[in-house]
Amino acid sequence: MAHSEELSRFLKSARARLSPADVGLPAGERRRTKGLRREEVAALAGMSVTWYTWFEQGREVQLSVPMIERLGRTLRLDANEREFLFALAQHRPPPLESQIDETIRPATQHLMDSLAIPALVIVEDWTVIGWNRLVARAFRDYAPLPRTERNLFKILMLSERYRNDAAHYREMGQRLVARFKWDYSRTSQPEIFDAIIAEMLEHSDLFRECWQESTILPYSEHVNIAQMPGIGDISFWHSSYGVEEVPGQRLILFAPRDPESARRLAQLAAATNEAATDTGPPAGEAQPAADRDQEASATGVS
C-alpha cells in the first residue's frame, strides 16, 4: 500500500472515531456517517477545507510542521499516532516533544544495570537522568547532585578537571559545541537551551569561540579515558542511541576500546558489584557522595 493511501485511511479513521461533542461542537442534525466532517476538522486545525481534503485524499500537498501538529491535536492523536502521522506525511520523525520526559522506563534502567559497561541516559538539554553503578564508579556519582548540577554539557565544558591538557580540552570543546548546536536546532524548547547558552557565553571563553563557528555534529561518539587508581587507565569508545519509546532521551554506552581496557573494566566491575552487595541501593537512587574528581579523570563524554 502506498504511503498516500495509508495516510488517507489513517486520517479517515482518526476523524471517524471523534464525535462533535468530543471537540466541543454541537451535534446538529442527524449525520449519515459517524465522526467529524472534513470541514469541521479543517476549521478546528486552522486549515482551509480544500487543503485538508486534498491532504486526506493523499494528494501531493505539503503541510508545515506546525500545521501537522495542529491537525494531530485536533484528531486527539497519542504519541505513537503523532509519530505515525509525521512518518506518512513527511517521511521523517516528528520534532521532539515540547515536554521533556525525564522518566526512566523500567526496561531502560534494567538494561543499564545488566550491562558490564558504564551506561547513562541524558535528555534533550543534556541533563543526566539515569545511570548505572559503573558510571558512578568510573566517572562521577550523579545521585547526590540536584538536577541543576547534572547537565553533562556544562560539567564537561566548565569543570577544571578537563583542562589539564589544553589541546585536548579544545578538541573536546569544539566537538561538544558542534553536537550541542545540532540538538539546539532540533529542539521544540529553545528557551531551555537559551538559558544554557547564556550561562556558557558568560563563563566559558572556549564556548564563546566555538559558538561562532559553523561546525555541527549530528552524532555522538568518541574515545575517552578514565584513570582509575589501583587499576590503571581504561580507554572507552562511547556512542549514543535514541531511546525509541521516549523521544528526547539518549542512552550513552561506554565500551572498552582494547583488551587491556576490557580486563581493567572487568576488575572495576567486580569491585563495584562486591561493594554493591554490602551496601547498595541501585544506581539512580540516593547514595553517599563520593569525590570522583580525585578518583577518576575522563576526557570526552562522561
Side-chain angles (χ1 to χ4, degrees):
M1 179 181 293
H3 271 203
S4 59
E5 294 176 4
E6 178 58 23
L7 175 63
S8 179
R9 185 207 62 78
F10 176 69
L11 290 173
K12 289 176 182 177
S13 175
R15 179 164 59 85
R17 71 188 180 191
L18 293 174
S19 69
D22 290 333
V23 295
L25 295 176
E29 71 280 5
R30 185 175 179 181
R31 295 169 179 250
R32 289 178 294 179
T33 58
K34 64 179 181 179
L36 297 178
R37 299 188 176 105
R38 284 173 175 165
E39 56 267 28
E40 291 169 335
V41 172
L44 290 168
M47 304 167 61
S48 73
V49 177
T50 300
W51 206 246
Y52 174 74
T53 300
W54 287 353
F55 184 63
E56 188 184 277
Q57 291 174 343
R59 299 194 192 185
E60 291 296 324
V61 175
Q62 297 298 320
L63 300 189
S64 66
V65 168
M67 191 172 289
I68 294 177
E69 294 282 27
R70 291 199 303 270
L71 181 58
R73 288 192 292 269
T74 297
L75 295 173
R76 308 290 178 88
L77 303 184
D78 63 24
N80 292 331
E81 291 169 332
R82 171 179 174 264
E83 184 167 352
F84 190 59
L85 175 60
F86 269 91
L88 293 174
Q90 294 196 338
H91 311 294
R92 66 178 182 85
L96 296 178
E97 291 278 13
S98 59
Q99 183 67 35
I100 294 179
D101 187 342
E102 298 194 5
T103 301
I104 291 287
R105 300 302 190 264
T108 303
Q109 187 64 56
H110 178 72
L111 169 65
M112 291 193 292
D113 292 339
S114 301
L115 294 173
I117 61 175
L120 58 82
V121 174
I122 63 174
V123 290
E124 186 180 355
D125 69 348
W126 291 51
T127 297
V128 177
I129 62 169
W131 56 93
N132 63 8
R133 287 192 177 97
L134 278 171
V135 163
R137 187 68 183 268
F139 303 127
R140 71 183 53 79
D141 185 2
Y142 290 97
L145 302 179
R147 186 194 186 282
T148 54
E149 296 178 18
R150 283 190 273 115
N151 186 280
L152 188 56
F153 183 77
K154 293 194 293 184
I155 289 172
L156 294 172
M157 291 294 296
L158 297 178
S159 175
E160 291 294 331
R161 67 186 282 196
Y162 298 107
R163 304 189 186 194
N164 295 332
D165 185 331
H168 193 92
Y169 173 66
R170 168 173 288 277
E171 184 276 330
M172 181 187 75
Q174 290 172 332
R175 177 167 41 82
L176 292 174
V177 174
R179 173 63 202 226
F180 192 77
K181 280 187 174 185
W182 174 263
D183 291 340
Y184 182 51
S185 72
R186 301 176 67 244
T187 185
S188 59
Q189 298 189 95
E191 65 279 1
I192 295 177
F193 280 78
D194 289 341
I196 297 173
I197 292 166
E199 181 179 352
M200 296 301 300
L201 288 172
E202 180 179 355
H203 295 293
S204 173
D205 293 336
L206 180 59
F207 179 85
R208 284 195 296 273
E209 178 184 332
C210 295
W211 193 249
Q212 300 304 315
E213 299 175 358
S214 59
T215 307
I216 59 170
L217 191 65
Y219 59 89
S220 180
E221 60 179 39
H222 208 264
V223 173
N224 59 294
I225 300 173
Q227 298 171 345
M228 302 302 303
I231 293 179
D233 291 357
I234 303 177
S235 180
F236 292 103
W237 188 287
H238 75 258
S239 54
S240 68
Y241 308 87
V243 180
E244 185 176 32
E245 61 191 49
V246 194
Q249 291 188 10
R250 291 211 307 269
L251 172 67
I252 302 178
L253 302 178
F254 300 81
R257 192 169 178 235
D258 52 67
E260 183 58 27
S261 292
R263 185 190 67 79
R264 291 173 178 174
L265 178 59
Q267 183 180 349
L268 179 66
T272 302
N273 291 335
E274 182 179 349
T277 58
D278 296 333
T279 59
E285 297 183 10
Q287 306 176 57
D291 186 358
R292 299 301 176 193
D293 283 353
Q294 298 302 317
E295 181 177 328
S297 175
T299 54
V301 175
S302 59

